[in-house]
Amino acid sequence: MKKITKKSLNSSFWTWYHGNLLCFSHQHMQTLPFMLAMLKPLQDLYQDETELHHAMETYTGFFNTEPQIGTIIVGVCCGLEESRANGADNIDEEMINSIRVGLMGPLAGIGDSLIPGTYIPILLAIALGLSTGGSMLGPIFYALVYNVTMYLFMRGIFNTGYELGGRAVDVLVGEKADIIKESIITIGMVVVGAVAGSWVNVTTALTLYNDAGEPFLVLQNVFNNILPGLLSLLTVLLGWWLMTKRKMQPTTVMLIYLAIAFVGVLLGFFDPGLSY
C-alpha cells in the first residue's frame, strides 16, 4: 500500500505555509505554490517519472484562494492522491481537480471574511489598546498571537483535510460552516464598531465671537447637544461610504481625510493643537 510519509506531509505543509504567494502573478495566482506543495507527496506515491509528471499536470490549472484557510485544500488533495495511487476507482485527476477548483471559491469567501475581515481587526483592536503611551506590548502581542494561532489553525486544517479527503467538502461548505461564519462575522462587526467608537475622536474648534470679543456660538457644544460624537460618527460613515459605495481604496480614503483636515485647519474649523 502506497503511503505519503510524515516527512513529505510536513514538507507539503511548510511549503504552502511559507510560500503560498511565491511567484504570484495575475495569470497563475497560487498555481505554482500549490504545485510545489504537492511535489513531495506525489514523489512518495509515484516513483515512475511518467506517472509523476501525469499527476503533477492535475495541478497546472489556475488556482487562487485565501491562503490560510486554503491550507485545507492542500491536505485534501494529499489524501485524495493517496487514495488514487492505491487504486480507488472513483478518484481520478478530473475528480481531484474538480474538488480543488470547487473549494477555492467558497473558501476564499469564508477566509476573506473571517481572517483579514474579522480576526485581524480584532487582534489589531486589542493591540492598539495595549500600545497606549507608546508601549511595545501591543505589537509584540499582535505578532506573537497572530503567528501562533495561524500556525495552529493551518496545521490543524491541513491534517484534517488529509484525513477527510473528499469528505472535507461537506464539512467546509455545509450548513454548519455558514452558521459559524455568520456568527464570527457578527462578533467582528461589534468589535470593529467598538474600535471606531473608542479611537475616532473628531471635534471642531469653530467659535464665533461678538463685538465684545465674547463667544456666542461654540459649534462643538451645538453638536454635543444634538448628538455627542456626531463628527466622529460622520467621519466613520464617510469612510464606509467611500470604500463600499464608491469602491475607493483605503489609501485614497486616507488622502481624502488628509485633504479635509488640511482645509479644515486653514478655515479654522479644526484645531491641530500645535503650540509655537
Side-chain angles (χ1 to χ4, degrees):
M1 180 177 179
K2 296 181 179 180
K3 186 78 174 175
I4 300 175
T5 64
K6 186 175 181 180
K7 180 178 179 181
S8 293
L9 287 174
N10 285 332
S11 174
S12 178
F13 168 76
W14 285 114
T15 298
W16 180 258
Y17 182 88
H18 289 298
N20 53 69
L21 294 178
L22 287 175
C23 302
F24 192 89
S25 69
H26 290 291
Q27 181 180 3
H28 298 292
M29 296 290 185
Q30 297 168 325
T31 299
L32 296 179
F34 200 101
M35 292 178 66
L36 186 59
M38 292 300 301
L39 180 59
K40 287 293 185 180
L42 291 178
Q43 286 177 333
D44 283 351
L45 300 173
Y46 303 102
Q47 304 298 322
D48 181 77
E49 287 191 7
T50 302
E51 291 182 341
L52 177 61
H53 183 269
H54 180 71
M56 286 295 292
E57 284 183 339
T58 305
Y59 305 98
T60 56
F62 178 86
F63 184 80
N64 185 47
T65 192
E66 199 285 319
Q68 280 71 45
I69 200 169
T71 308
I72 196 170
I73 305 179
V74 184
V76 167
C77 288
C78 287
L80 291 173
E81 285 289 358
E82 192 171 83
S83 297
R84 176 168 70 151
N86 285 286
D89 295 333
N90 60 335
I91 300 178
D92 56 19
E93 62 271 15
E94 183 177 350
M95 181 265 201
I96 294 175
N97 193 50
S98 296
I99 290 180
R100 183 180 75 105
V101 174
L103 285 177
M104 73 177 186
L107 288 184
I110 295 172
D112 288 340
S113 298
L114 298 186
I115 298 176
T118 301
Y119 183 60
I120 290 178
I122 290 175
L123 289 184
L124 287 175
I126 298 173
L128 284 170
L130 296 174
S131 300
T132 303
S135 172
M136 287 297 296
L137 186 59
I140 292 174
F141 165 85
Y142 178 81
L144 183 63
V145 172
Y146 176 79
N147 283 286
V148 170
T149 55
M150 278 299 101
Y151 165 74
L152 294 175
F153 172 71
M154 293 173 70
R155 171 63 81 172
I157 63 174
F158 176 86
N159 292 338
T160 300
Y162 171 66
E163 293 168 1
L164 290 177
R167 291 180 295 137
V169 177
D170 295 331
V171 176
L172 293 173
V173 296
E175 182 179 349
K176 291 184 178 180
D178 290 336
I179 295 174
I180 295 172
K181 171 188 172 183
E182 293 301 325
S183 300
I184 297 177
I185 290 175
T186 301
I187 294 173
M189 292 173 63
V190 172
V191 172
V192 172
V195 171
S198 301
W199 289 90
V200 179
N201 183 27
V202 180
T203 59
T204 178
L206 185 62
T207 304
L208 300 181
Y209 298 88
N210 57 24
D211 294 337
E214 299 174 347
F216 71 89
L217 176 64
V218 180
L219 189 57
Q220 184 58 47
N221 291 339
V222 176
F223 289 151
N224 290 340
N225 291 331
I226 298 173
L227 178 65
L230 177 61
L231 291 179
S232 300
L233 175 62
L234 292 176
T235 301
V236 174
L237 291 178
L238 174 62
W240 169 82
W241 180 77
L242 291 174
M243 287 189 289
T244 59
K245 302 300 182 181
R246 306 298 297 178
K247 306 300 181 183
M248 291 186 179
Q249 295 296 319
T251 305
T252 305
V253 175
M254 292 174 64
L255 291 175
I256 292 175
Y257 279 150
L258 183 61
I260 293 173
F262 181 77
V263 174
V265 171
L266 291 179
L267 297 177
F269 190 83
F270 298 126
D271 181 6
L274 300 176
S275 58
Y276 300 94

